[in-house]
Amino acid sequence: MPFLPVKRQKIVLACLACLSLYFLYHPHFLPFPSLSSPTSSTSSTSSTSSTSSTSSLIDQDYFWLNVPLRHPVQSFLPLPISPPPPKATIQHRFPRETAEEKAVRLQRLDAVKANFTHAWQGYREHAWLSDEVRPLSGGKLDPFGGWAATLVDTLDTLYIMGMHEEFEEAVQAVQTIDFSHCALATINVFETTIRYLGGLLGAYDLSKGKHPSLLSKAAELAEMLYRAFDTPNRMPITRWDLHAAAQGDAQEAGESVLVAEIGSLTLEFTRLSQITGDPRWFDAVQRITDRLEADQAQTNVPGLWPIVVNARTLDFHSFPMFTLGGMADSLYEYLPKQHLLLNGRTPQYQKLYTTALPMLDAHLFFRPMTPDNRDILLSGDVYVGEASAIPPPEPKAQHLTCFAGGMVALGSRVFDRPQDLAVARRLVDGCLWAYEQAPLGMMPEIMHTVRCAEREHCLWDEAAWHAAIREAFAQDETYANLPVEQIIRDKHLARGVSKIDDRRYILRPEAVESVFFMYRITGEQKYMEAAWRMFTTIVASTTTEIAHAALSDCTGSTPVQEDRMESFWMAETLKYFYLIFAEPELVSLDEYVFNTEAHPFLLLP
Ligand SMILES: *[C@@H]1O[C@H](CO)[C@@H](O)[C@H](O)[C@H]1NC(C)=O
């Protein structure tokens, strides 16, 4: 089924009931109507009056602060306060490097920074305060509400790279962002949370609270997003008509909600409660975690959650599709991270993670057959109809699943599960293989491989590869009857790849993200080398006059660039490259936890 990867598929709504796509981008700015009677808006139903710890950070005339709530919370779920267990050490203790090693490392660090500076200048010059710069034409694009997504997303990277003047300039510019206007008819609450709320809080934490204006802007945004949770059952609307909400219309949570979009809001909202002491934000997301926990054992793959849940009826278990790719990914990623952020003061997130991981390992992770018989893993998809046995995974590899190695490596430290590190290593090595097998050195968005029958022993079998290609093209009128050699040539299939479903490389971070976690956790130099190969191949194909461009096809012998650079290129991909070549103490994993958009939140001691 052609489900779209959605984690960062920003402007497309995968309506799963009908599988149709809606483009949500509207070209004009639509100011919200002012409330009919502003004097009556300080309604007693609004819960903001009782929780002024955040509202005191913002102007009392701020639009969203004065949109009354229909379903205020009577009793807030508090941040857990039980004494924390002893803290695990996450990073490897790095030995002193030689002068020669240091020279090479610093040279690489400079190359990453030079590429970042190039892209930042392109944005600053051509698209300042827009969501994105167009890297080929120099145009601009506003797919995320028009609140300067690239600028907000990139604040902490500027800080990490020591670009303090640029950082100060960007912090000033944040003050002009107005969350009471929106360019879109509906917004994606998850994307808005990870990019904007995460970006503001990450920059606030990293600069050690020296810029209260960043926190105020985060509070303004949170007041807006909180209205998406104003439903009878307090489940948020994930694709949210904020204009209707602004008019005070009644709202209900969706019946087909992508589980990643509802299940990975915890870090950002929790961090805001920690900083402000306001319980509303943690309460809002903790209710979702409690729902996930209630249904975890009831699904068709008990322990895992399906990609779609019904947030209106609270059925979080019936849907038959499971993946670690788009639509589900960051839900799992957030479990060990939220445990860290809460200092392990509740066992809940550990329980969810340690219940899920063995099922991911048993039912989604598979070994692909490779010409050099590599002992690696990829994460596939599984479809499980009601009451049927769980079949083996479809040997599909989405670039989005490449975060898994980093998650399992982090989880092995956070939860003291040293045996998991071998699984993490095989997952990271799986994505490195997916990069290396391609002529230009980048993994495409989605491809199919050949699954080994056994994980421990697997030898290359040319005939099995050919058979998998035949099967993959059996329904294709043009290719079904052609010699397999011709399909391989025409479709640019590297040995071990049976089909390339989506040929793009859109500057995504997940593979280097996992390399970063493996490097910081194990200290193994081979991951630094792998990162350098990855970096040089990516910039060789994507650099433009203005910035860097996504590729509409990364699988041939020449890259095909497209006029798009999403904010995660500077927020995530280049940040992770930089941190791999920086001193390991810079943004240490023992001090910070990264949200899914690579924004670092300070861990409480
Ligand atoms: C990007 O890094 C590469 C090193 O791989 C370097 O050759 C290139 O000059 C850098 N690009 C910019 C714009 O600085």
Side-chain angles (χ1 to χ4, degrees):
M1 275 198 272
F3 287 115
L4 293 174
V6 157
K7 174 183 177 194
R8 288 162 177 138
Q9 188 81 33
K10 303 340 102 128
I11 49 169
V12 218
L13 160 60
C15 164
L16 288 141
C18 51
L19 286 176
S20 57
L21 304 176
Y22 298 98
F23 282 86
L24 302 174
Y25 178 61
H26 286 223
H28 303 297
F29 262 60
L30 310 171
F32 296 118
S34 52
L35 288 172
S36 42
S37 146
T39 40
S40 68
S41 66
T42 45
S43 148
S44 58
T45 58
S46 169
S47 66
T48 51
S49 50
S50 60
T51 49
S52 56
S53 44
T54 305
S55 351
S56 67
L57 295 167
I58 57 191
D59 188 334
Q60 294 309 296
D61 295 332
Y62 173 58
F63 179 80
W64 288 106
L65 200 56
N66 294 295
V67 175
L69 298 176
R70 285 172 174 266
H71 306 282
V73 171
Q74 302 305 334
S75 162
F76 293 105
L77 301 173
L79 279 166
I81 50 164
S82 53
K87 217 172 164 153
T89 301
I90 294 171
Q91 285 208 165
H92 177 73
R93 275 186 223 284
F94 286 81
R96 188 189 275 279
E97 62 194 336
T98 66
E100 199 183 325
E101 284 166 344
K102 184 170 182 178
V104 172
R105 181 174 65 73
L106 291 180
Q107 206 181 350
R108 294 172 174 182
L109 191 69
D110 283 348
V112 177
K113 186 170 174 177
N115 275 272
F116 173 86
T117 304
H118 172 65
W120 177 252
Q121 281 169 352
Y123 170 74
R124 187 174 174 277
E125 210 169 289
H126 296 274
W128 188 242
L129 291 174
S130 293
D131 283 347
E132 292 173 15
V133 65
R134 288 194 176 278
L136 296 174
S137 63
K140 43 194 167 184
L141 192 65
D142 279 314
F144 293 109
W147 299 308
T150 293
L151 186 147
V152 175
D153 228 1
T154 308
L155 287 166
D156 51 23
T157 311
L158 290 167
Y159 193 90
I160 287 169
M161 294 192 183
M163 297 168 65
H164 294 297
E165 251 169 63
E166 290 85 349
F167 177 76
E168 297 293 334
E169 181 186 34
V171 169
Q172 290 305 314
V174 164
Q175 297 322 301
T176 67
I177 296 172
D178 182 359
F179 290 117
S180 59
H181 287 70
C182 184
L184 304 178
T186 61
I187 63 162
N188 182 319
V189 166
F190 163 75
E191 295 287 354
T192 309
T193 300
I194 62 167
R195 298 190 197 223
Y196 290 104
L197 190 55
L200 294 165
L201 293 175
Y204 176 80
D205 268 358
L206 207 52
S207 55
K208 298 275 153 62
K210 285 200 193 82
H211 295 281
S213 61
L214 293 172
L215 185 60
S216 305
K217 195 52 75 177
E220 286 180 19
L221 174 56
E223 287 292 350
M224 176 183 94
L225 291 173
Y226 196 59
R227 271 66 191 172
F229 291 76
D230 190 23
T231 62
N233 65 10
R234 299 296 307 170
M235 290 295 117
I237 299 166
T238 53
R239 306 297 176 104
W240 184 44
D241 179 347
L242 71 183
H243 303 276
Q247 291 176 54
D249 290 1
Q251 313 187 100
E252 273 192 293
E255 293 186 290
S256 289
V257 168
L258 300 181
V259 78
E261 293 189 357
I262 196 165
S264 20
L265 305 167
T266 46
L267 289 173
E268 297 80 4
F269 282 82
T270 299
R271 185 67 192 126
L272 187 59
S273 274
Q274 288 180 335
I275 298 172
T276 60
D278 185 333
R280 280 181 296 160
W281 321 119
F282 176 75
D283 169 89
V285 292
Q286 183 58 35
R287 289 167 191 275
I288 302 165
T289 303
D290 290 343
R291 269 318 309 164
L292 289 166
E293 182 178 25
D295 276 17
Q296 187 177 21
Q298 263 60 260
T299 70
N300 293 358
V301 183
L304 306 185
W305 296 274
I307 59 174
V308 172
V309 296
N310 188 330
R312 191 171 302 171
T313 63
L314 301 179
D315 170 354
F316 277 38
H317 63 266
S318 295
F319 204 77
M321 290 275 305
F322 298 80
T323 182
L324 209 46
M327 304 189 270
D329 45 13
S330 46
L331 159 68
Y332 296 95
E333 177 191 344
Y334 270 29
L335 301 175
K337 292 180 167 185
Q338 173 78 350
H339 179 92
L340 260 182
L341 188 66
L342 292 172
N343 273 342
R345 288 175 189 272
T346 159
Q348 187 179 27
Y349 291 90
Q350 174 160 12
K351 183 178 152 243
L352 298 178
Y353 179 79
T354 55
T355 305
L357 185 63
M359 297 303 278
L360 291 171
D361 192 30
H363 298 292
L364 292 186
F365 298 166
F366 69 92
R367 177 168 171 174
M369 197 174 75
T370 68
D372 52 359
N373 302 318
R374 284 195 205 189
D375 182 15
I376 57 175
L377 294 173
L378 294 169
S379 187
D381 293 354
V382 60
Y383 178 95
V384 192
E386 223 170 298
S388 56
I390 304 170
E394 184 185 340
K396 190 167 138 184
Q398 299 183 32
H399 194 289
L400 285 168
T401 63
C402 286
F403 83 94
M407 172 186 76
V408 176
L410 184 68
S412 85
R413 283 286 196 268
V414 173
F415 301 126
D416 192 20
R417 297 166 57 94
Q419 72 280 13
D420 290 352
L421 205 55
V423 176
R425 197 184 300 279
R426 293 167 84 188
L427 286 165
V428 177
D429 292 349
C431 288
L432 290 178
W433 171 74
Y435 270 66
E436 285 164 23
Q437 56 77 30
L440 291 171
M442 274 155 289
M443 178 182 180
E445 268 298 275
I446 307 175
M447 63 186 199
H448 274 77
T449 61
V450 187
R451 186 174 56 80
C452 295
E454 263 187 80
R455 245 158 80 159
E456 298 315 318
H457 306 281
C458 182
L459 291 179
W460 174 252
D461 176 350
E462 191 94 4
W465 174 45
H466 286 181
I469 296 171
R470 284 243 156 274
E471 198 191 322
F473 287 88
Q475 311 297 330
D476 186 316
E477 275 179 31
T478 319
Y479 283 93
N481 297 313
L482 292 180
V484 83
E485 289 73 18
Q486 188 171 347
I487 307 179
I488 292 169
R489 221 172 27 245
D490 283 13
K491 299 288 181 182
H492 307 298
L493 301 177
R495 294 172 90 213
V497 177
S498 63
K499 187 181 179 191
I500 303 172
D501 307 77
D502 184 340
R503 296 181 178 273
R504 295 175 302 153
Y505 171 70
I506 62 167
L507 304 167
R508 280 198 192 283
E510 293 77 19
V512 62
E513 169 183 332
S514 281
V515 170
F516 164 76
F517 279 102
M518 275 311 273
Y519 177 65
R520 285 286 185 94
I521 286 168
T522 67
E524 285 170 32
Q525 293 297 305
K526 74 169 215 186
Y527 291 108
M528 209 183 213
E529 296 304 319
W532 180 244
R533 283 196 304 276
M534 206 182 258
F535 174 74
T536 50
T537 53
I538 293 173
V539 296
S541 294
T542 60
T543 305
T544 72
E545 285 279 299
I546 291 163
H548 298 85
L551 304 179
S552 57
D553 187 347
C554 74
T555 65
S557 47
T558 47
V560 187
Q561 296 181 334
E562 64 178 331
D563 204 6
R564 187 91 199 265
M565 179 178 83
E566 283 212 43
S567 65
F568 50 66
W569 169 242
M570 286 194 286
E572 300 189 65
T573 315
L574 288 174
K575 183 191 287 157
Y576 284 126
F577 279 122
Y578 187 85
L579 288 173
I580 288 171
F581 302 118
E583 306 276 335
E585 293 73 35
L586 185 65
V587 200
S588 163
L589 295 177
D590 291 305
E591 281 175 73
Y592 290 92
V593 61
F594 288 91
N595 85 340
T596 192
E597 192 70 8
H599 299 305
F601 299 158
L602 197 56
L603 295 170
L604 300 174

